[in-house]
Amino acid sequence: MVDAAPAFWDSPSIEEWWRLVFVLAGIGALIGAGEGIRILLRWPPEFTRKLVHVSVGVLVFFAPQIFTVPLPAVVLAVVFIIVNLLAIRFGLLKGMHGTGRPTFGTVYYPLAFLILVLIFWYRQPLIISLSILVLALGDAGAAIVGELKRAPATFSLSGDRKSLEGSMTMFLVSFAVLFLGLTQLDPGFGGHYDYILAAAGIAAATATAWEALSSRGLDNLSIPLSVAFVLWYFLIPDSRTDVQQFTMGSAFAIAVAVVSYQFKFLSASGAVATYLLATVVFGIGGWKWTIPILVFFVLSSILSRIGRNRKAEAEEFFEKSGPRDWAQVFANGGAAGIFVVCSFVEPDVPWYPLYLGSLAAVTADTWGTEIGLLSGRKPLLITSFKPVAAGSSGGVTLPGSAGGLGGSLLIGVSALPWLPDARILPWIVLAGLAGSLFDSFLGATVQGIYRCPVCGKSTERKRHCNNQPTVRRMGIEGINNDAVNWGCALMGAGVIAVSGFG
């Protein structure tokens, strides 16, 4: 008789519950030691935090060997999510939380572990161990090297200051952990070092990119989850996975990011975000998913460079001008990237039309803005049809709308070889129009608009003339153009969803 497969919520033995007690006690002792070192030696909280960070990570690495069923690991994660939330709330355990800035990193750490356990415990526990170890050693190494270096080359992509030396350390340590872990712990590779090098290299590069881009402790979540996703692709192959395509896609993503940065289409943070997004789109999707987003990105970037002098006055209104940053990259392509991931996780759902709808919407919006500014026509506010200044949020022009329709049509045409039904094409164009109009509506109603006290002009910027703070005159604080662009992309996908093709 064949034994039944273990259920996820199978109750562990008494012995394993005792193991959980010892693990909890061990982690508690590590935290207590960190607090004691901080108080007795008067070390800065960052050093003791990293001591606990590394020690706990190494201990958690062995969780799949300590427990035979996942329930104790789930309990372990939940306990420390709650404990760390309470510690942050009441200002306790400063050796773990006292980093000089508000952060929920110590909550994201066990949360990441919980997510990995829920997904990979029975599928491939090695993914749990290596993802957590990369976080424990790589991230800690980056922080320590960056702080010990007397004059590091620092940069800031999204808020936190990082160092070039720290990022290099992050990559090297992560690569070493992954390469050694895959060669020593997974006999399934059978000496295929090219395969191991590809898996370790892409996962380490992805982890390093997320460490550089994340702020306020979010890297404790983004690093292990991104490493786990890459390892999932390599360690759990099936008919959907093409390792060679994924490897070439990651290399192509680096090339696109570097070239775009050199041509000043992207800022440094935008280039890093583009690498992360493009690795997913190019690596998982292949040409079918790559061509439409390349059409959007390349042609929109070129269009934004045309007539810069004519657009200069209008760009004073915009919150951001010049090369796109990470938030703009994700606002325009993030929804598309999510649909690519969904196509990998749930391949039986028709995600591709939704993907095209989101791209058509952001293309129509981008082209509508750029062509509208080039036309020189006075835009009309979409909610009242009254004339407004060029570049104003919520303003629309006839040439801009026509250009937006052309852009969304081009997205559909670029995907024609892969469309399951040519009747989708008009819906893609309609998705572009609906998304761009919805973007204008949000811009006219809920997007935060400010007035400069120096020049009296309206602007999306919170600081204007001589870096003086502006005063909000309409809209909602915190809803900026990036949030509006997310709404635009999702509206485009929503139109495809109701069409019956998505």
Side-chain angles (χ1 to χ4, degrees):
M1 183 176 178
V2 179
D3 293 335
F8 193 87
W9 301 112
D10 277 355
S11 179
S13 65
I14 296 296
E15 180 185 353
E16 289 203 44
W17 283 122
W18 276 111
R19 290 180 190 171
L20 174 62
V21 171
F22 287 127
V23 170
L24 287 169
I27 295 176
L30 288 172
I31 295 172
E35 281 290 277
I37 291 172
R38 181 184 70 83
I39 294 170
L40 293 175
L41 301 182
R42 298 182 180 179
W43 283 7
E46 185 67 18
F47 281 95
T48 52
R49 189 177 75 88
K50 287 303 179 185
L51 174 66
V52 174
H53 181 96
V54 172
S55 303
V56 171
V58 172
L59 180 61
V60 169
F61 172 84
F62 294 102
Q65 288 76 48
I66 296 172
F67 307 115
T68 60
V69 293
L71 187 56
V74 170
V75 172
L76 178 68
V78 171
V79 165
F80 280 99
I81 290 173
I82 296 171
V83 168
N84 289 335
L85 277 172
L86 292 174
I88 293 170
R89 172 66 178 83
F90 295 104
L92 305 175
L93 302 177
K94 295 187 182 296
M96 288 177 59
H97 304 285
T99 62
R101 67 188 190 280
T103 171
F104 283 90
T106 54
V107 176
Y108 298 143
Y109 198 141
L111 177 60
F113 177 63
L114 175 62
I115 294 170
L116 294 174
V117 167
L118 293 175
I119 297 175
F120 296 112
W121 186 271
Y122 285 126
R123 303 185 70 180
Q124 181 51 277
L126 179 62
I127 293 177
I128 304 172
S129 296
L130 290 181
S131 300
I132 291 296
L133 198 59
V134 166
L135 173 63
L137 301 183
D139 182 43
I144 292 170
V145 168
E147 289 170 10
L148 292 179
K149 179 84 173 164
R150 180 164 297 179
T154 60
F155 61 90
S156 177
L157 299 184
S158 64
D160 286 1
R161 300 296 301 177
K162 305 293 174 76
S163 72
L164 183 60
E165 295 84 354
S167 293
M168 292 173 62
T169 302
M170 174 73 195
F171 176 80
L172 292 173
V173 172
S174 299
F175 180 82
V177 166
L178 291 164
F179 183 81
L180 293 174
L182 292 173
T183 53
Q184 300 300 316
L185 301 177
D186 192 330
F189 281 116
H192 294 289
Y193 289 105
D194 55 341
Y195 198 85
I196 297 172
L197 285 170
I202 296 172
T206 302
T208 303
W210 275 117
E211 191 276 335
L213 197 59
S214 300
S215 61
R216 298 198 175 189
L218 190 60
D219 50 353
N220 283 356
L221 188 63
S222 62
I223 290 172
L225 295 187
S226 62
V227 170
F229 183 79
V230 174
L231 293 181
W232 180 2
Y233 205 88
F234 280 88
L235 297 183
I236 312 178
D238 58 26
S239 60
R240 296 169 291 165
T241 59
D242 185 335
V243 170
Q244 184 177 14
Q245 175 183 285
F246 194 81
T247 304
M248 295 300 296
S250 180
F252 187 37
I254 293 175
V256 169
V258 170
V259 170
S260 300
Y261 178 72
Q262 291 296 323
F263 277 93
K264 294 183 169 34
F265 293 153
L266 298 170
S267 67
S269 71
V272 173
T274 294
Y275 163 72
L276 293 169
L277 179 63
T279 294
V280 170
V281 176
F282 303 166
I284 295 176
W287 291 116
K288 171 181 176 179
W289 299 76
T290 297
I291 294 297
I293 201 168
L294 275 181
V295 167
F296 158 70
F297 175 70
V298 174
L299 296 184
S300 297
S301 297
I302 294 173
L303 187 60
S304 69
R305 302 292 291 272
I306 297 174
R308 292 298 299 271
N309 292 334
R310 296 177 61 183
K311 301 174 186 175
E313 183 177 352
E315 288 181 347
E316 279 294 307
F317 176 87
F318 299 149
E319 179 186 7
K320 302 172 183 177
S321 59
R324 291 185 176 91
D325 65 10
W326 69 272
Q328 291 170 299
V329 169
F330 287 145
N332 284 292
I338 289 171
F339 291 132
V340 177
V341 173
C342 289
S343 74
F344 173 70
V345 177
E346 292 290 343
D348 296 329
V349 177
W351 299 105
Y352 191 58
L354 301 178
Y355 170 82
L356 296 175
S358 70
L359 283 181
V362 296
T363 303
D365 174 54
T366 302
W367 286 36
T369 299
E370 299 293 344
I371 293 174
L373 290 175
L374 287 172
S375 72
R377 296 284 187 89
K378 196 79 169 177
L380 303 178
L381 192 65
I382 192 171
T383 53
S384 66
F385 297 105
K386 293 180 179 179
V388 291
S392 298
S393 297
V396 294
T397 64
L398 185 58
S401 297
L405 282 173
S408 57
L409 175 61
L410 191 58
I411 293 297
V413 170
S414 72
L416 272 177
W418 303 284
L419 289 180
D421 190 331
R423 292 177 299 171
I424 301 177
L425 189 58
W427 282 98
I428 293 173
V429 177
L430 180 60
L433 176 63
S436 64
L437 292 177
F438 185 60
D439 182 284
S440 297
F441 176 77
L442 293 177
T445 55
V446 299
Q447 182 178 348
I449 305 298
Y450 305 84
R451 186 181 300 281
C452 176
V454 178
C455 66
K457 292 181 179 179
S458 293
T459 178
E460 296 175 351
R461 304 181 183 187
K462 293 185 177 181
R463 291 183 176 274
H464 201 247
C465 294
N466 301 319
N467 203 34
Q468 290 297 310
T470 54
V471 179
R472 182 167 58 90
R473 71 174 187 83
M474 61 174 291
I476 300 173
E477 185 86 22
I479 297 185
N480 60 7
N481 190 250
D482 295 327
V484 168
N485 284 341
W486 273 100
C488 169
L490 294 175
M491 172 57 78
V495 169
I496 300 296
V498 300
S499 73
F501 289 107

